[in-house]
Amino acid sequence: DQQVKQNSPSLSVQEGRISILNCDYTNSMFDYFLWYKKYPAEGPTFLISISSIKDKNEDGRFTVFLNKSAKHLSLHIVPSQPGDSAVYFCAASALTGTASKLTFGTGTRLQVTL
Amino acid sequence: GAVVSQHPSWVICKSGTSVKIECRSLDFQATTMFWYRQFPKQSLMLMATSNEGSKATYEQGVEKDKFLINHASLTLSTLTVTSAHPEDSSFYICSAGKSYEETQYFGPGTRLLVL
């Protein structure tokens, strides 16, 4: 039962254009969503997050949008740069006690071409 | 900052031996750390939640006697893969979060190869 889904395994975008990565979830108990960037053989690097009480959060070139009614979130990267090429994971959490367990999507491999 | 380290980054061992992986939060205290496993081209799968001073909580399907977790201090958790077999070969990643914060910070991972 995949509670967090990233339906696009890969995405190719030209440098300077917008990259849009999508994520869907099924568990309405999730109250926080995060995006991580990951290179092969490295741990994920935190990019940006959003609380379920918000619908948008922006940090530099990265913006995350949340549509709670559709149980959908997206990460926009603009302008895209070659260094953005990596695998992007969407993650969701439901705070339990003092720690939150993260449920990860399957990842989307972004390739930014020159 | 929120830096998490793992040691070793690479380990190759013979089948039947045990391997210990350390996870440290370098600039913050973590009452809870998490251990994940990632197979090639797959997502990160949570194995267990490591709680300082108490027993770890294992996810369904993860053998607690095979994957021993010890969280002896607020900055250190260890994962021991006991009697490792080739099917245990994988990429193991730990993460830590600050109390009452949702964001988890990940270590660089440990690649285990069991021959």
Side-chain angles (χ1 to χ4, degrees):
Chain A
D1 177 28
Q2 190 74 31
Q3 296 187 61
V4 179
K5 299 179 184 179
Q6 292 175 256
N7 291 318
S8 298
S10 64
L11 175 68
S12 183
V13 172
Q14 212 168 17
E15 181 182 13
R17 303 265 179 142
I18 184 171
S19 295
I20 300 176
L21 297 99
N22 294 303
C23 179
D24 297 292
Y25 62 96
T26 58
N27 189 342
S28 57
M29 296 301 292
F30 288 140
D31 56 9
Y32 205 78
F33 303 90
L34 309 92
W35 284 95
Y36 286 87
K37 177 181 179 180
K38 187 178 182 301
Y39 294 111
E42 293 185 14
T45 302
F46 170 71
L47 276 177
I48 192 169
S49 61
I50 188 168
S51 164
S52 61
I53 62 174
K54 295 186 176 181
D55 55 20
K56 178 183 175 181
N57 188 26
E58 190 172 353
D59 184 3
R61 296 186 298 116
F62 303 93
T63 303
V64 55
F65 296 93
L66 175 63
N67 182 334
K68 277 191 69 176
S69 61
K71 294 191 175 69
H72 176 83
L73 66 154
S74 61
L75 173 68
H76 292 211
I77 307 173
V78 56
S80 300
Q81 300 173 353
D84 296 329
S85 298
V87 177
Y88 289 78
F89 287 96
C90 165
S93 75
L95 185 61
T96 55
T98 59
S100 300
K101 290 170 54 172
L102 290 182
T103 301
F104 280 85
T106 49
T108 296
R109 181 177 300 279
L110 173 65
Q111 179 77 36
V112 179
T113 58
L114 297 173
Chain B
V3 182
V4 177
S5 71
Q6 269 182 256
H7 179 80
S9 55
W10 256 104
V11 58
I12 302 173
C13 69
K14 292 182 179 179
S15 186
T17 60
S18 294
V19 174
K20 181 185 283 189
I21 303 170
E22 293 186 349
C23 177
R24 293 181 186 273
S25 56
L26 298 184
D27 52 359
F28 66 100
Q29 293 185 329
T31 54
T32 304
M33 291 182 173
F34 302 88
W35 287 96
Y36 295 81
R37 182 174 180 177
Q38 184 185 28
F39 290 104
K41 297 184 179 180
Q42 293 190 24
S43 185
L44 284 77
M45 299 300 297
L46 179 64
M47 298 174 65
T49 302
S50 171
N51 305 296
E52 189 267 337
S54 64
K55 291 183 179 180
T57 306
Y58 290 82
E59 295 300 300
Q60 193 173 12
V62 178
E63 298 176 59
K64 60 180 181 180
D65 294 330
K66 179 157 188 67
F67 298 99
L68 300 179
I69 291 172
N70 187 304
H71 196 148
S73 76
L74 288 172
T75 59
L76 174 64
S77 175
T78 60
L79 169 69
T80 301
V81 183
T82 62
S83 187
H85 288 104
E87 58 265 30
D88 298 323
S89 299
S90 190
F91 191 56
Y92 293 87
I93 314 173
C94 73
S95 72
K98 301 177 183 179
S99 294
Y100 299 101
E101 279 191 20
E102 304 263 7
T103 303
Q104 289 181 25
Y105 301 94
F106 285 81
T110 297
R111 183 160 299 282
L112 170 64
L113 177 61
V114 184
L115 302 176

